Amino acid sequence: MASERDAADTMPLRVTVQEGAGSRKPAAGRRKKAVSLAVVAVLLAGGTGAGLLWAGRGGNGSEPEAGPKVKKIAVVRTDLSGIREMQGTLGYDSARTIRSAGEGRVTWLPKPGATVERGRQLYRVDERSAVVFYGDTPLYRRLDTPGSIGRDIRVVADNLKALGYDIGAQPAPGTVVRQQAPAEDPPPMTTGPGPGPTKAPAGQSSAPDGGAGKGTEASQEGSPSPRPSQSTVREGDGVLTTSLMSAIERWQKAVGIDPTGILDFSDVVVTKSAVRVSDVLAQPGDEASGDLMTVTATTKSVTVPVESLDIGSINSGQRVTVVLADQSTTTGRVAAISTIVQANQDDDGKAGQTKTNVTVSLDDLQAVKDIDSAPVQAQFQGESKKDVLAVPVGALLALREGGYAVRLSGGRLVPVDTGMFAKGLVEISGQGISEGMKVETTA
């Protein structure tokens, strides 16, 4: 690669210069020198920079009326870091709407801004409390049958244990458990000829697990009684043991629910953690079938809608600097990248850019303790390079055959290879390029 270039080897983009009314056009056939002001726009992955290209004088010998101001600057050795800045919103995490799982009338609701932790009531319907438990699986059935197995039962067991109740031992995964009759039902009995019920005759078992009968258990009418079902405990399952039901009964008494040991799915609201009441949507006396309130997590984060074309440059765990409204900053990391792509609409109602929400968790929540919600700027840390040679982007000159060069203070053009662009600087390398050498750049 040649180390020097003539100005005529640059590729000019002409700028029209207004001439006076009496100016003469050049004579036909007169050789015209390539003279003009050229501009090259360099579009970057992490930003946009512009370099200006210039060459000698016009063919008629006149100077341009206005041209770029040029100054000399030294090539520096520095660290470059790419930053992408995007608009985001600071607020509380994981908003959701709470609806009552049971029927009745609302008799109590919390105030907006209240924090409700594990074991505390979130609302009351017909004066029956609905209490917050932590977990991933909501209660979806009435827990009244000893031997029942499921992840919802594991949620109950874990929460009662965390609240200090003795739940007894839980069967290990792989254990085969027989499901008994519902706790509120009497044990299987047959009706004899006398005035009252009697125990099952010999050869038929009155035990809920079926006992040693021959499979011909029958009532007086002769219909077969169902055999107790049995299931195997899987990883993550809980079992509704008699000890757990006793713990439920003690807990019910403590929170003001009838102490039956039977848990209805409307008695518990399962959340991932403590919740903050952001808005109350109902009033005492309303039917409980509608929306009662909206709640969020008690922690704050920043939500950044990122255009789908740019989402590939953002990774989980990536460092982020958050600029608040007062220009103070705090730091965080990318905590989640949504899998839902949203299409915005333009002013004409047509689908615009598609965007994906990126959630940024904050390292220091005290920095935003007095802010519930606010627009912020999220600066995503991108590629970084250390100890590279760099000049202002305005020092780049476009060559006619492609590529770039810089002009030394003496007028020589030296071709360069470009690397990373960041904050108005560009990484350069090439034969003869060294730290401290003076190059021309736009002022």
Side-chain angles (χ1 to χ4, degrees):
M1 179 181 291
S3 61
E4 296 185 17
R5 296 294 178 106
D6 186 83
D9 290 334
T10 59
M11 183 174 58
L13 300 178
R14 293 188 179 277
V15 176
T16 301
V17 179
Q18 295 289 342
E19 296 182 339
S23 62
R24 294 180 304 147
K25 294 183 180 180
R30 181 178 176 182
R31 185 174 182 180
K32 187 177 180 181
K33 296 181 181 179
V35 182
S36 58
L37 173 68
V39 180
V40 59
V42 182
L43 183 62
L44 315 178
T48 302
L52 299 180
L53 174 65
W54 61 94
R57 300 181 178 179
N60 58 7
S62 62
E63 296 287 345
E65 291 184 358
K69 294 183 179 179
V70 177
K71 65 179 181 180
K72 295 179 175 60
I73 194 168
V75 176
V76 297
R77 187 172 295 279
T78 185
D79 298 338
L80 295 181
S81 178
I83 294 178
R84 307 188 68 185
E85 188 169 79
M86 303 180 191
Q87 185 76 29
T89 302
L90 170 68
Y92 286 94
D93 299 339
S94 309
R96 60 175 285 197
T97 301
I98 300 294
R99 301 177 179 87
S100 173
E103 297 180 351
R105 291 196 177 273
V106 178
T107 52
W108 180 84
L109 291 165
K111 294 180 179 180
T115 297
V116 184
E117 299 177 337
R118 186 203 320 257
R120 301 291 184 180
Q121 65 176 347
L122 187 58
Y123 60 86
R124 289 199 300 266
V125 172
D126 293 342
E127 283 301 277
R128 187 178 179 94
S129 296
V131 180
V132 169
F133 276 4
Y134 298 166
D136 294 320
T137 305
L139 268 64
Y140 56 89
R141 55 182 168 171
R142 180 179 171 87
L143 300 183
D144 61 357
T145 305
S148 297
I149 297 175
R151 294 180 182 273
D152 55 338
I153 299 173
R154 170 58 65 184
V155 169
V156 174
D158 289 346
N159 278 271
L160 290 181
K161 186 175 181 179
L163 290 169
Y165 291 90
D166 181 7
I167 65 170
Q170 281 283 296
T175 305
V176 177
V177 176
R178 287 182 178 275
Q179 191 177 84
Q180 304 176 27
E184 60 185 6
D185 294 339
M189 304 185 76
T190 59
T191 304
T198 62
K199 292 184 179 181
Q204 294 181 355
S205 172
S206 62
D209 62 357
K214 297 182 180 180
T216 58
E217 298 169 353
S219 65
Q220 188 180 24
E221 291 78 11
S223 59
S225 299
R227 289 179 176 272
S229 63
Q230 64 182 30
S231 302
T232 301
V233 180
R234 296 173 300 180
E235 192 70 37
D237 281 344
V239 179
L240 191 61
T241 62
T242 54
S243 295
L244 180 56
M245 295 184 76
S246 296
I248 292 173
E249 185 175 349
R250 296 193 300 275
W251 169 77
Q252 288 172 325
K253 186 176 181 179
V255 298
I257 300 176
D258 292 340
T260 60
I262 298 170
L263 200 59
D264 235 328
F265 57 84
S266 59
D267 294 336
V268 169
V269 178
V270 178
T271 64
K272 291 187 178 297
S273 59
V275 294
R276 176 184 179 273
V277 180
S278 59
D279 195 12
V280 176
L281 307 176
Q283 297 179 0
D286 288 350
E287 289 289 340
S289 55
D291 296 344
L292 302 182
M293 68 188 78
T294 56
V295 299
T296 65
T298 57
T299 55
K300 298 170 189 174
S301 64
V302 173
T303 301
V304 184
V306 179
E307 291 186 6
S308 298
L309 293 176
D310 297 330
I311 199 68
S313 64
I314 296 176
N315 301 308
S316 181
Q318 185 174 348
R319 298 294 303 171
V320 182
T321 298
V322 178
V323 183
L324 305 177
D326 61 0
Q327 298 306 305
S328 62
T329 62
T330 187
T331 58
R333 292 181 181 273
V334 174
I337 301 174
S338 176
T339 57
I340 299 174
V341 178
Q342 302 171 336
N344 294 335
Q345 288 188 339
D346 57 22
D347 295 337
D348 298 330
K350 298 180 180 179
Q353 290 283 353
T354 57
K355 295 187 176 183
T356 301
N357 282 340
V358 173
T359 301
V360 177
S361 62
L362 300 176
D363 296 332
D364 181 15
L365 292 175
Q366 287 297 311
V368 294
K369 63 183 179 65
D370 297 325
I371 307 173
D372 285 347
S373 179
V376 297
Q377 292 291 328
Q379 298 176 344
F380 292 84
Q381 300 291 339
E383 178 189 9
S384 61
K385 288 192 174 182
K386 294 184 178 297
D387 198 32
V388 296
L389 296 176
V391 294
V393 175
L396 289 182
L397 306 176
L399 296 175
R400 186 180 298 276
E401 69 274 21
Y404 298 98
V406 293
R407 187 189 297 276
L408 304 185
S409 58
R412 234 176 1 114
L413 289 178
V414 180
V416 295
D417 295 321
T418 59
M420 181 179 177
F421 291 81
K423 294 183 178 180
L425 296 178
V426 55
E427 174 192 359
I428 62 171
S429 60
Q431 185 178 358
I433 299 298
S434 61
E435 181 181 2
M437 68 186 305
K438 298 288 186 177
V439 299
E440 294 182 355
T441 182
T442 52

